[in-house]
């Protein structure tokens, strides 16, 4: 359940930014969590829900976007969609894949008042 | 409440040292608070950068949108980079050892450390949710060791390792083995400032493990297959396991050992000596 520590980091970072902006509460929190980030979105949602009680984030609406994972074959340079860290190149069958996207784990924005 | 010092420390990690009864350090869950303190300068700098680049405040009807574009693991990653610099400055080779519980990490260290020889000082940070058992086994070898009890935590983080490293007598040029909490999922995400991640699996676990836990194998630099002495008794296909591991991470280095019998240990020790020399140079 590393999602709990991740939720705690998110709340800490948002709290810091909200205080800097002089905000009294956060209305929305927008996260980007890639399918290869190693984070389970339902567990993260649960962690945020539990840990945000009593914080500036208590009433924030949570928006999580999960971009598509993409990889490039290191043998023939074909780009293709990934479901896991490993995949067979649809063009040449190689498993030597470079992950181009899908590992994102970031706070993209907040709406404050 | 801590039954040694009476302070309230629910949930936070605790450092302990064999032979120093009563000595302990609490990393309060303000643990994360600490990061914020220590890194206030950096944190602000980053945010301001982001502000400047994005010019990023947009008023919406209901409030004001602030673009952050901040890596969730930023605080841990900053601390990890600090640890990395601290290790490099001392010529210390820090290795993060990761595996499921029971793959033989501590036994591998018990075998490896004496084999390294007197001219290769070693030290160990042991991560477990509870008990000093592993630290006591390492202490019996006569090398510096700190136990980090993570309590409910399922992984070590950079703050725990930074503090533990500073609480131990770590000789320059040493190899520091960081034995992470036995868990093939969570520790993969947390950079500790190590030079390399080493994942250990044993032949009693199943040769499809790399496919089932790809994040860990993707993050690792080296894979050690342990307990090879048990191969005659289990249905484990070494070649298939290696093939599965290489599918997930084609850069992965590979060793096959039995820490119990010493089989295959020469290649692992020779590789370690080579890495230690490179780190000192």
């Amino acid at each position: 359940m590393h999602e709990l520590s991740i939720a705690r980091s998110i709340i800490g970072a948002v709290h810091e930014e909200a205080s800097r902006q002089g905000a009294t509460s956060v209305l929305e929190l927008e996260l980007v969590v890639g399918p290869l980030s190693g984070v389970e979105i339902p567990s993260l949602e649960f962690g945020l829900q539990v840990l945000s009680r009593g914080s500036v984030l208590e009433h924030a609406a949570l928006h999580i976007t999960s971009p598509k994972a993409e990889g490039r074959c290191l043998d023939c340079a074909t780009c293709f969609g990934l479901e896991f860290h490993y995949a067979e190149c649809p063009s040449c069958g190689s498993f030597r894949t470079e992950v181009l996207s899908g590992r994102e784990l970031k706070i993209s924005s907040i709406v404050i008042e | 409440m801590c039954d040694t010092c009476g302070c309230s420390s629910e949930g936070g990690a605790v450092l302990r040292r064999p032979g120093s009864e009563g000595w302990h350090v609490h990393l309060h869950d303000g643990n994360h608070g600490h990061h914020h303190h220590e890194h206030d300068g950096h944190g602000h700098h980053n945010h301001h950068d982001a502000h400047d680049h994005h010019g990023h405040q947009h008023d919406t009807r209901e409030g004001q949108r602030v673009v952050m574009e901040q890596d969730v693991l930023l605080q841990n990653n900053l601390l990890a980079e600090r640890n990395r610099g601290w290790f490099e400055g001392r010529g210390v080779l820090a290795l993060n050892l990761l595996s499921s519980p029971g793959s033989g990490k501590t036994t591998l260290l018990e075998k490896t450390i004496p084999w390294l020889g007197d001219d290769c000082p070693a030290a160990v940070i042991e991560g477990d949710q509870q008990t000093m058992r592993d630290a006591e086994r390492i202490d019996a070898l006569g090398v510096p060791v700190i136990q980090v009890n993570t309590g409910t935590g399922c992984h070590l983080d950079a703050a725990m390792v930074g503090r533990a490293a500073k609480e131990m007598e770590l000789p320059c040029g040493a190899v520091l083995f960081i034995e992470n909490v036995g868990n093939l999922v969570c520790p993969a995400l947390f950079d500790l400032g190590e030079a390399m991640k080493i994942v250990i699996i044993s032949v009693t676990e199943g040769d499809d493990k790399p496919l089932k836990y790809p994040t860990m194998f993707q993050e690792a630099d080296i894979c050690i297959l342990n307990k090879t002495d048990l191969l005659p008794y289990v249905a484990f296909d070494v070649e298939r396991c290696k093939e599965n591991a290489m599918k997930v991470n084609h850069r992965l280095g590979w060793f096959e050992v039995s820490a119990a019998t010493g089989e295959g240990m020469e290649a692992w020790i020779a590789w370690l000596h080579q890495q230690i020399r490179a780190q000192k140079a």
Side-chain angles (χ1 to χ4, degrees):
Chain A
M1 252 312 258
H2 55 295
E3 283 83 359
L4 268 185
S5 5
I6 299 218
R8 200 177 287 126
S9 306
I10 292 172
I11 292 169
V14 169
H15 181 78
E16 215 174 289
E17 184 66 33
S19 326
R20 198 170 12 254
Q21 303 280 348
T24 51
S25 79
V26 177
L27 304 175
E28 288 177 43
L29 167 63
E30 199 184 342
L31 304 176
V32 181
V33 181
L36 305 182
S37 65
V39 169
E40 279 299 317
I41 292 176
S43 306
L44 180 62
E45 287 171 338
F46 170 74
L48 284 169
Q49 191 189 342
V50 171
L51 296 172
S52 64
R53 283 183 199 142
S55 79
V56 286
L57 271 162
E58 186 165 4
H59 302 294
L62 178 62
H63 306 290
I64 299 182
T65 50
S66 193
K68 279 216 162 92
E70 266 208 290
R72 178 167 51 209
C73 174
L74 288 173
D75 289 324
C76 76
T78 302
C79 290
F80 53 97
L82 295 176
E83 280 180 49
F84 303 106
H85 284 286
Y86 55 98
E88 190 174 356
C89 171
S91 171
C92 76
S94 164
F95 275 93
R96 288 170 20 93
T97 309
E98 179 190 10
V99 177
L100 297 176
S101 67
R103 305 180 70 167
E104 302 80 358
L105 179 57
K106 66 178 185 186
I107 306 168
S108 50
S109 72
I110 54 176
V111 174
I112 52 172
E113 70 169 3
Chain B
M1 194 175 78
C2 169
D3 51 13
T4 311
C5 72
C7 87
S8 67
S9 64
E10 300 294 332
V14 183
L15 311 188
R16 295 192 171 88
R17 189 157 43 207
S20 313
E21 204 168 327
W23 181 88
H24 67 288
V25 174
H26 290 284
L27 295 172
H28 293 277
D29 228 7
N31 199 352
H32 295 270
H34 278 305
H35 304 187
H36 293 179
H37 258 316
E38 289 173 21
H39 282 285
D40 258 2
H42 297 280
H44 286 203
H45 180 69
N46 270 308
H47 290 299
H48 287 309
D49 269 0
H51 295 197
D52 293 339
H53 285 301
H54 295 279
H56 71 147
Q57 297 182 353
H58 311 284
D59 287 338
T60 68
R61 227 173 349 161
E62 312 230 332
Q64 182 190 23
R65 182 170 297 278
V66 180
V67 176
M68 289 178 68
E69 294 296 332
Q70 179 180 323
D71 189 325
V72 169
L73 295 169
L74 175 73
Q75 296 295 344
N76 185 72
N77 293 346
L78 286 172
L79 277 180
E81 284 306 332
R82 240 170 89 160
N83 291 348
R84 191 163 279 121
W86 197 85
F87 294 138
E88 281 176 8
R90 285 162 181 76
V92 167
L93 175 71
L95 301 174
N96 185 358
L97 272 55
L98 305 138
S99 80
S100 333
S103 67
K105 292 190 292 298
T106 313
T107 306
L108 180 66
L109 290 181
E110 284 178 313
K111 199 73 162 197
T112 299
I113 290 170
W115 205 318
L116 279 173
D118 294 338
D119 53 339
C120 278
V124 179
I125 295 173
E126 282 289 346
D128 282 298
Q129 288 199 318
Q130 297 292 344
T131 85
M132 289 272 284
R133 284 166 185 270
D134 283 359
E136 282 159 4
R137 286 170 63 185
I138 299 297
D139 187 53
L141 304 174
V143 299
V145 58
I146 294 267
Q147 178 81 50
V148 181
N149 285 137
T150 55
T152 53
C154 51
H155 57 268
L156 293 177
D157 66 28
M160 297 174 193
V161 167
R163 184 62 190 265
K166 282 163 196 136
E167 293 289 348
M168 68 201 310
E169 286 170 31
L170 194 56
C172 284
V175 52
L176 173 65
F177 296 102
I178 305 166
E179 186 181 327
N180 218 311
V181 178
N183 179 339
L184 264 186
V185 182
C186 312
L189 266 69
F190 294 84
D191 185 3
L192 306 178
E194 71 277 333
M196 270 179 259
K197 286 189 172 80
I198 299 181
V199 62
I200 295 144
I201 45 173
S202 56
V203 302
T204 49
E205 292 175 52
D207 44 37
D208 53 358
K209 206 136 215 187
L211 300 181
K212 288 157 89 176
Y213 298 91
T215 309
M216 184 62 81
F217 285 83
Q218 169 79 24
E219 288 291 330
D221 301 282
I222 299 291
C223 179
I224 299 179
L225 177 65
N226 191 21
K227 308 190 190 180
T228 53
D229 54 307
L230 299 180
L231 278 171
Y233 314 105
V234 291
F236 185 97
D237 185 331
V238 174
E239 279 315 304
R240 194 187 312 146
C241 182
K242 190 174 175 181
E243 201 178 289
N244 287 337
M246 299 301 157
K247 271 184 190 172
V248 177
N249 179 355
H250 61 270
R251 303 173 202 85
L252 197 63
W254 183 265
F255 293 98
E256 293 166 24
V257 307
S258 163
T261 66
E263 184 190 358
M265 288 290 287
E266 292 88 351
W268 157 240
I269 298 291
W271 178 86
L272 270 175
H273 277 141
Q274 196 186 339
Q275 300 303 315
I276 294 166
R277 275 196 303 274
Q279 183 76 15
K280 281 188 201 166

